[in-house]
């Protein structure tokens, strides 16, 4: 059975698309699924660094498109998880080296041998984003709890809907529970209420995310921190499991509150 | 494709112009009559509804009329003057199709008969509404000559430009222009009325900052003594 291709996108840059892609890829692979992650951020590749595969790149996605190698030759296998692969972006070409048709063909081929194809999208709403969406069956939108990021997410969701792949599901990254408690930060409920799409999960701000990125070992390899727990919960929700939301961080945006808000009387 | 709304045709001697809002956008149909008179009439009609058309894209139908490049160019210039972009031409004339192609205008599907361009709504009842059940998101824009009803939120960065009233069964936080064809009697209602900007007819208002945090209740906005005011929406 063919797998699902999911693009991870955001509109605003730096909100955690690459972090989410790497960690979900690892979490899904740890759950026994065959996963290939694709980096479509041509010219600014970094998924390979976060996944610790940079030194093993021989061919990249542009080489595949240009016929320099076969798709399988460009895939890098994870050292610990044989069911996890990366298709790296090109660092030297510019983003026009890739077309929507190329992405559709690549995703189609990868879906045949994988349960999940996770596509790390570049920031923005232009060519690169359109490419990342072209081969996808569905989308995950990443935002941080900041007004500017949420607005960009809204714009992106509109574009995903226009492509007939929407509205997608939402991940809120870098929530600081202490700030939410003090009321200094948009909370899960505010964001969900504004964007009106399904919440897939919330990831707390966690230094361990940065440390692990620098080491090239995604945090999801361990289950020790709240952030890695959040990635694993999201992976299980993607697989269709009902996983309760984590207290403090996620609870205000939980289903119960959403329902309550729908029936809010004056 | 059925027209969602039609601005009633106004005949000026021999010339007739129809402006329609359809699910696929605005369309203008030019009927019989002298070409330069027709363009003059079009220019006039567009001037009267400048706020509504500015920045829009239209599909144009010219029936079986033969048009050469110069004539079509004249028409495009008239549209351009009002900041309107011609996105396609629907024509039954080979000459007009050729002219369009050489000017880089896409050809729309030919209509079976010219009769189809006749207005579906009677001129006495030009206010057929457009109902949308969705969230209007940043970057999305609705332009409709009649009334617009949204069941859902209108987010910041989204805009609605309507010839008639605008009713939002949800939060209105984007930009709305009601009565954009020049009707200062149009109203805007929303369950939560906190638009970034509100225009009714020829009037403009921005949301007072402090309102955004205060107790929210359904409101209706309209023009009173030359200013846009908002009142609780009591549904009386
Ligand atoms: N939950 C988190 N806690 C702490 N740091 C985080 C978290 N998520 C992401 N970061 C950090 O934020 C930075 C940006 O993350 P990332 O590169 O994943 O964003 P991106 O959306 O892919 O950016 P770009 O738009 O440039 O591709 C990185 O330094 C990353 O380590
Ligand atoms: Mg990135």
């Amino acid at each position: 059975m063919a797998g699902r291709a999911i693009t991870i996108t955001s509109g605003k840059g730096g909100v955690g698309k690459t972090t989410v892609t790497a960690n979900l890829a690892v979490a899904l692979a740890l759950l026994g699924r065959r996963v290939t992650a694709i980096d479509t951020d041509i010219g600014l590749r970094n998924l390979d660094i976060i996944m610790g595969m940079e030194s093993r790149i021989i061919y990249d996605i542009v080489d595949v498109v240009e016929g320099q190698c076969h798709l399988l030759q460009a895939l890098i296998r994870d050292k610990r998880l044989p069911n996890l692969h990366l298709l790296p972006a090109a660092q030297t070409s510019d983003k026009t080296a890739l077309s929507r048709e190329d992405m559709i063909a690549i995703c189609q081929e990868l879906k045949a041998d994988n349960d999940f194809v996770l596509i790390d999208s570049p920031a923005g709403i232009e060519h690169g984003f359109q490419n990342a969406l072209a081969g996808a069956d569905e989308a995950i939108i990443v935002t941080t709890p900041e007004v500017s990021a949420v607005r960009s997410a809204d714009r992106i969701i509109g574009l995903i809907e226009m492509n007939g792949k929407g509205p997608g599901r939402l991940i809120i990254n870098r929530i600081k529970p202490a700030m939410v408690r003090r009321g200094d930060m948009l909370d899960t409920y505010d964001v969900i209420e504004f964007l009106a799409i399904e919440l897939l999960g919330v990831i707390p701000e966690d230094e361990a995310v940065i440390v692990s990125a620098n080491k090239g070992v995604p945090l999801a390899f361990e289950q020790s921190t709240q952030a890695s727990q959040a990635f694993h919960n999201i992976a299980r929700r993607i697989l269709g499991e009902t996983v309760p939301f984590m207290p403090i961080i996620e609870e205000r945006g939980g289903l119960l509150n959403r329902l309550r808000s729908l029936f809010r009387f004056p | 494709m059925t027209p969602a709304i039609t601005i009633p045709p106004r005949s000026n001697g021999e010339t007739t112009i129809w402006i329609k809002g359809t699910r696929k956008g605005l369309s203008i149909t030019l009927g019989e009559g002298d070409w330069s008179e027709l363009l003059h009439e079009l220019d006039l009609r567009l001037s009267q509804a400048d706020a509504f058309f500015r920045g829009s894209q239209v599909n144009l139908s010219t029936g079986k009329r033969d048009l050469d490049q110069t004539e079509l160019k004249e028409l495009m210039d008239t549209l351009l003057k009002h900041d309107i972009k011609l996105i396609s031409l629907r024509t039954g004339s080979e000459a007009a199709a050729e002219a369009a192609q050489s000017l880089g205008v896409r050809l729309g599907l030919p209509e079976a008969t010219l009769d189809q361009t006749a207005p579906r709504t009677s001129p006495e009842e030009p206010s057929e509404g457009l109902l949308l059940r969705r969230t209007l998101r940043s970057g999305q824009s609705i332009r409709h000559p009649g009334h617009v009803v949204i069941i859902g939120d209108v987010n910041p960065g989204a805009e609605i430009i309507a010839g008639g009233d605008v009713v939002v069964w949800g939060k209105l936080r984007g930009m709305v222009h009601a009565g954009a064809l020049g009707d200062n009697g149009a109203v805007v209602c929303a369950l939560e009325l906190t638009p970034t900007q509100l225009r009714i007819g020829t009037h403009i208002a921005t949301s007072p900052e402090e309102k955004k945090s205060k107790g929210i209740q359904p409101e209706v906005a309209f023009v009173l003594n030359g200013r846009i005011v908002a009142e609780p929406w009591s549904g009386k």
Side-chain angles (χ1 to χ4, degrees):
Chain A
M1 206 185 71
R4 282 152 70 188
I6 306 175
T7 192
I8 289 111
T9 187
S10 72
K12 188 174 186 320
V15 297
K17 295 175 292 294
T18 302
T19 304
V20 165
T21 307
N23 282 287
L24 286 187
V26 168
L28 285 165
L30 283 169
L31 288 164
R33 300 309 192 279
R34 295 165 302 165
V35 184
T36 294
I38 309 180
D39 189 349
T40 64
D41 205 344
I42 311 291
L44 279 174
R45 77 172 177 215
N46 53 17
L47 187 55
D48 54 303
I49 302 171
I50 294 188
M51 294 179 75
M53 297 178 175
E54 185 186 15
S55 61
R56 294 164 58 206
I57 296 178
I58 296 168
Y59 297 112
D60 57 49
I61 192 166
V62 173
D63 294 324
V64 174
V65 167
E66 289 175 348
Q68 315 273 18
C69 67
H70 291 294
L71 180 54
L72 287 181
Q73 290 176 285
L75 294 180
I76 305 167
R77 174 186 299 218
D78 186 82
K79 282 195 170 136
R80 315 183 199 191
L81 296 166
N83 50 334
L84 173 61
H85 292 85
L86 169 72
L87 177 57
Q91 187 67 316
T92 47
S93 320
D94 71 285
K95 55 193 175 203
T96 53
L98 214 59
S99 74
R100 296 166 58 102
E101 290 68 34
D102 295 332
M103 280 307 296
I104 293 170
I106 287 172
C107 289
Q108 207 59 41
E109 199 173 334
L110 287 174
K111 272 159 64 174
D113 298 320
N114 285 279
D115 299 303
F116 290 95
V117 177
L118 300 184
I119 306 157
D120 181 17
S121 161
I125 57 174
E126 272 110 33
H127 192 80
F129 157 72
Q130 293 291 348
N131 276 345
L133 193 59
D137 302 304
E138 54 193 286
I140 291 176
I141 297 98
V142 183
T143 186
T144 55
E146 292 161 80
V147 173
S148 59
V150 174
R151 291 275 187 94
S152 318
D154 190 48
R155 178 95 171 89
I156 279 286
I157 295 165
L159 294 173
I160 294 168
E161 281 171 345
M162 263 171 58
N163 278 274
K165 298 184 175 174
R169 290 186 284 178
L170 186 74
I171 291 179
I172 306 173
N173 188 23
R174 308 194 81 157
I175 281 249
K176 297 192 181 80
M179 270 181 85
V180 170
R181 252 184 251 117
R182 289 201 307 270
D184 290 339
M185 192 178 234
L186 295 178
D187 66 20
T188 309
Y189 171 76
D190 297 329
V191 178
I192 285 294
E193 193 259 0
F194 184 90
L195 293 176
I197 64 170
E198 189 186 330
L199 179 68
L200 200 52
V202 177
I203 302 153
E205 171 78 23
D206 189 345
E207 278 178 17
V209 170
I210 300 170
V211 174
S212 66
N214 289 341
K215 280 195 296 195
V217 183
L219 194 62
F221 270 114
E222 302 151 33
Q223 300 241 5
S224 50
T225 72
Q226 260 197 331
S228 75
Q229 190 57 52
F231 288 121
H232 286 277
N233 285 352
I234 292 169
R236 286 164 56 202
R237 290 186 192 116
I238 290 174
L239 293 175
E241 283 180 47
T242 309
V243 185
F245 286 98
M246 288 196 278
I248 302 168
I249 305 160
E250 296 178 320
E251 65 181 0
R252 276 204 64 200
L255 182 66
L256 193 64
N257 281 287
R258 181 115 180 86
L259 286 177
R260 229 178 260 151
S261 81
L262 285 176
F263 299 102
R264 186 169 50 189
F265 294 106
Chain B
M1 187 170 45
T2 52
I5 179 70
T6 304
I7 297 177
R10 249 181 268 162
S11 293
N12 168 21
E14 302 288 286
T15 63
T16 324
I17 297 169
W18 290 278
I19 298 170
K20 293 188 288 184
T22 70
R23 294 216 164 265
K24 292 195 176 154
L26 292 171
S27 89
I28 295 178
T29 301
L30 301 179
E32 303 286 301
D34 177 70
W35 185 244
S36 59
E37 252 177 61
L38 204 58
L39 290 187
H40 180 69
E41 168 77 5
L42 179 66
D43 189 24
L44 217 64
R45 294 276 305 271
L46 295 177
S47 303
Q48 285 160 359
D50 199 57
F52 182 79
F53 287 103
R54 199 151 281 280
S56 65
Q57 306 191 327
V58 301
N59 301 289
L60 192 84
S61 305
T62 50
K64 292 201 177 66
R65 176 194 291 276
D66 283 330
L67 289 174
D68 61 27
Q69 257 194 57
T70 322
E71 288 170 319
L72 190 59
K73 188 78 180 45
E74 272 174 6
L75 174 74
M76 287 167 74
D77 288 343
T78 305
L79 293 175
L80 218 56
K81 198 175 126 197
H82 298 275
D83 192 19
I84 299 170
K85 196 173 161 224
L86 180 60
I87 47 173
S88 80
L89 178 74
R90 207 176 252 241
T91 175
S93 146
E94 249 172 60
E98 250 172 56
Q101 266 166 337
S102 57
L103 286 170
V105 175
R106 212 179 40 151
L107 287 176
L109 294 173
E111 263 167 309
T113 63
L114 189 56
D115 278 356
Q116 268 191 10
T117 60
R120 201 170 63 99
T121 29
S122 68
E124 290 77 37
E125 221 176 349
S127 52
E128 200 175 320
L130 176 71
L131 175 72
L132 291 175
R133 234 176 86 188
R134 51 180 260 226
T135 303
L136 267 198
R137 302 185 183 279
S138 171
Q140 297 179 331
S141 167
I142 299 292
R143 204 182 283 260
H144 182 71
H147 304 307
V148 173
V149 180
I150 307 279
I151 300 177
D153 296 341
V154 179
N155 285 350
E159 64 171 18
I160 300 174
I161 299 172
D165 301 335
V166 175
V167 177
V168 178
W169 191 261
K171 300 184 176 67
L172 169 45
R173 301 187 268 209
M175 202 289 280
V176 166
H177 191 168
L181 290 163
D183 181 8
N184 284 332
V187 301
V188 176
C189 341
L191 294 187
E192 186 179 318
L193 188 72
T194 50
T196 39
Q197 195 185 88
L198 192 63
R199 301 184 186 195
I200 295 178
T202 52
H203 301 274
I204 302 183
T206 48
S207 257
E209 278 306 316
E210 85 273 12
K211 209 180 116 184
K212 285 174 180 147
S213 52
K214 275 215 209 129
I216 298 296
Q217 58 173 336
E219 284 182 304
V220 53
F222 52 91
V223 175
L224 184 69
N225 299 329
R227 279 183 53 219
I228 297 180
V229 295
E231 258 186 11
W233 185 8
S234 54
K236 56 179 181 309

